[in-house]
Amino acid sequence: MQAICSHCGARSTLNDAQIGRHPRVQFRCAHCGKHTVVKTPQADSTQVVHTPEAVAQFEAGPDPATLLGNDAKNLSLPPGKNIALAVLSGPAKGLVYALEKPWVVLGRTAGDVLINDPNVSRWHCAVEVKGDVIRVRDLDSTNGTFVGAERISASELRHLSEFRLGESVVLLTITAKLAVPR
């Protein structure tokens, strides 16, 4: 099947093994390196039964190793700090999510932080932490991820940085962990 990159217009050839029976597939463009989702011709209407493990992996979202390659090994939360995401506006207003792992996916129906907003993609964006460096990365969402007025593919965040997905504005906070007296 021939597929066209939605970012640069380059043509790619996807083989049957890549397509399988999926109604849509995501591929990485060899020309620009960005990901594109394309519809595929339906193979047939055979019902597919998924194992609980496959469903859990699907709901968890994209694997950071797939998107980041060797850089995924460097993901780690900074010692002595708490990082949290707080939804300031939109359907999930008031939601606060404390990061317990260095890769967190935000999405409408799958991922770690669920935001029930029709303008948010299933897997919309991810927050990745590499020690003191924190980034928000768009996961080729339909409506984009924004920092300020700019649509981004990835952007570094700092304490009190805000980003928007759909109608939701999310605030990143970084605070020191409190020492527990003995």
Side-chain angles (χ1 to χ4, degrees), residues 101-157:
K101 58 185 184 174
W103 174 268
V104 176
V105 175
L106 291 81
R108 185 182 72 254
T109 59
D112 302 297
V113 181
L114 300 181
I115 298 178
N116 188 14
D117 179 338
N119 295 309
V120 171
S121 295
R122 174 182 293 143
W123 301 312
H124 196 96
C125 64
V127 173
E128 60 190 55
V129 182
K130 295 179 187 175
D132 288 331
V133 178
I134 303 169
R135 284 191 184 90
V136 60
R137 179 181 303 276
D138 187 77
L139 299 175
D140 289 328
S141 64
T142 302
N143 295 319
T145 302
F146 294 81
V147 174
E150 183 179 346
R151 185 173 181 159
I152 55 99
S153 58
S155 181
E156 195 166 312
L157 301 173

Side-chain angles (χ1 to χ4, degrees), residues 12-34:
S12 297
T13 302
L14 307 178
N15 63 38
D16 290 337
Q18 291 171 304
I19 297 170
R21 296 182 185 190
H22 302 288
R24 287 186 224 115
V25 294
Q26 178 176 342
F27 71 95
R28 185 175 184 150
C29 177
H31 181 68
C32 70
K34 294 186 178 181

Side-chain angles (χ1 to χ4, degrees), residues 36-87:
T36 297
V37 177
V38 294
K39 291 183 180 180
T40 61
Q42 291 292 330
D44 61 34
S45 60
T46 306
Q47 185 176 9
V48 178
V49 178
H50 296 286
T51 64
E53 295 81 15
V55 171
Q57 175 61 36
F58 177 78
E59 289 175 350
D63 177 26
T66 305
L67 292 173
L68 303 177
N70 287 334
D71 285 342
K73 296 175 187 172
N74 299 326
L75 295 176
S76 65
L77 294 173
K81 295 183 181 175
N82 292 317
I83 301 172
L85 302 173
V87 181

Side-chain angles (χ1 to χ4, degrees), residues 134 156-162 172-174:
I134 303 169
E156 195 166 312
L157 301 173
R158 291 178 170 41
H159 176 59
L160 300 181
S161 291
E162 294 179 4
L172 174 92
T173 59
I174 306 168

